[in-house]
Amino acid sequence: MKLLRVGPPGQEKPAILDRDGNYRDLSAEVEDIAGATLLPETLSRLAGLDLEALPLIDSDQRIGACVGSIGKFVCIGLNFADHAEESNMPIPDEPVVFNKWTSAVCGPDDDVIKPRGSTKLDWEVELGIVIGKQGAYIDEADAE
């Protein structure tokens, strides 16, 4: 199952790719590809849909960021030795944790905009992990 968000920035609609590569509109099923949509029970329901019964969406539309309504973007830096070496930095004893602005998240073909006052951009890719349930101070025994 391949979920996507299509449309102009800020106006993306939820969609799913059918077996022929067509975009199918999921707006009647979910509000966005975000939050509760990414919980196992919702994903299971979406996997059971008859995709041919869903309305087609023009496949020439922009593909947006893979998820919407991003609350936080927490990153781990210098998480492999080569990166520390190329940065001329020591390998840290503990993970380096930092945040990125959620406005840095974009679609696969969107322009990357260098913020005003910046002097350079780095050429890295972040792997995003979506955590669908809220939680705090969860004991390992209670983690799913």
Side-chain angles (χ1 to χ4, degrees):
M1 177 170 65
K2 294 184 180 180
L3 302 175
L4 58 156
R5 300 169 69 245
V6 297
Q11 299 174 34
E12 295 91 349
K13 66 170 52 177
I16 191 167
L17 205 61
D18 71 17
R19 76 179 88 141
D20 296 322
N22 299 309
Y23 300 172
R24 298 289 181 155
D25 189 351
L26 281 176
S27 296
E29 301 295 330
V30 294
E31 186 175 326
D32 197 0
I33 307 301
T37 300
L38 299 169
L39 293 175
E41 51 271 19
T42 308
L43 292 174
S44 178
R45 182 175 60 80
L46 293 177
L49 292 175
D50 175 9
L51 301 188
E52 303 300 316
L54 297 172
L56 282 168
I57 298 176
D58 179 11
S59 61
D60 289 336
Q61 289 195 57
R62 168 190 169 269
I63 298 175
C66 56
V67 295
S69 303
I70 299 168
K72 294 181 191 130
F73 198 152
V74 180
C75 306
I76 307 296
L78 298 177
N79 54 334
F80 56 97
D82 288 350
H83 185 43
E85 258 180 50
E86 71 187 16
S87 302
N88 293 319
M89 299 179 77
I91 298 170
D93 293 330
E94 297 289 331
V96 176
V97 179
F98 62 98
N99 295 321
K100 287 199 180 231
W101 296 108
T102 57
S103 59
V105 179
C106 62
D109 297 315
D110 290 348
D111 290 336
V112 175
I113 300 171
K114 185 167 81 172
R116 185 178 294 145
S118 295
T119 57
K120 72 173 196 165
L121 295 174
D122 201 351
W123 53 269
E124 63 184 27
V125 175
E126 302 297 345
L127 168 66
I129 299 173
V130 176
I131 300 173
K133 292 183 180 181
Q134 291 185 349
Y137 308 108
I138 299 169
D139 289 327
E140 186 175 345
D142 296 328
E144 293 180 6

